[in-house]
């Protein structure tokens, strides 16, 4: 179980927020869960980190989505559109409700959600181009041979980043 006080303590231990920010009410935690438990940690309504722990579905089917995601994010370190892993604190926050050692902490990536993009057709085209460039950079990052050696599945590049395979 992950509680807001536990997440606050862990965020302070990791140096993401200060105790003063927590006590003054500037830090908040928002549930982002789908099938796994994910919380967003905000300071002054700006995301600073995401925390993921395995949810009930993972316990039922035996998957370890947190370890798998940690391996992939570590392999993609350096790609600007990939969230950076936040290392374990030197002194763990052992607070009731704090996420266990299997939690995955990542920095928030700069940007806005696509659903929040509004404006003129020119502005929306600009957003679409930026999104396309980000996806292309993600697919061009790293070395497939290195990924395979780390047990990370290698998928074929989508047609949009391989001009010789463009559909008619």
């Amino acid at each position: 179980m992950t509680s807001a006080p536990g997440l606050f303590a862990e965020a302070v231990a990791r140096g993401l927020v200060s105790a003063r920010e927590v006590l003054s009410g500037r830090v908040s935690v928002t549930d982002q869960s789908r099938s796994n438990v994910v919380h967003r940690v905000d300071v002054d309504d700006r995301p600073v980190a995401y925390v993921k722990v395995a949810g009930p579905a993972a316990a039922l089917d035996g998957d370890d989505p947190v370890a798998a995601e940690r391996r992939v994010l570590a392999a993609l370190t350096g790609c600007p559109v990939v969230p950076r892993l936040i290392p374990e604190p030197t002194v763990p926050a052992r607070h009731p409700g704090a996420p266990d050692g299997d939690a995955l902490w990542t920095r928030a990536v700069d940007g806005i959600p696509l659903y929040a993009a509004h404006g003129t057709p020119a502005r929306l085209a600009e957003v679409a181009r930026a999104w396309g460039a980000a996806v292309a950079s993600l697919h061009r990052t790293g070395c497939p041979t290195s990924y395979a050696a780390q047990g990370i599945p290698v998928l074929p590049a989508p047609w949009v980043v391989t001009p010789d395979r463009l559909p008619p």
Side-chain angles (χ1 to χ4, degrees), residues 31-146:
D31 180 42
Q32 305 288 297
S33 297
R34 302 298 186 280
S35 63
N36 293 296
V37 180
V38 178
H39 295 283
R40 186 184 71 229
V41 179
D42 295 334
V43 175
D44 296 329
D45 297 321
R46 294 206 53 197
V48 294
Y50 289 86
V51 185
K52 180 177 187 173
V53 294
L60 291 174
D61 61 20
D63 284 347
D64 190 352
V66 172
E69 189 169 332
R70 183 177 285 115
R71 274 195 323 274
V72 171
L73 291 176
L76 293 171
T77 296
C79 182
V81 298
V82 173
R84 288 189 344 241
L85 293 169
I86 299 170
E88 293 290 323
T90 52
V91 178
R94 294 294 165 231
H95 183 280
D100 57 24
D102 295 332
L104 174 70
W105 283 73
T106 61
R107 293 258 181 209
V109 175
D110 288 335
I112 62 169
L114 285 177
Y115 66 78
H118 302 286
T120 65
R123 168 69 178 134
L124 295 178
E126 176 186 335
V127 169
R129 277 191 297 276
W131 179 79
V135 170
S137 75
L138 177 61
H139 284 283
R140 291 183 178 130
T141 295
C143 170
T145 307
S146 170

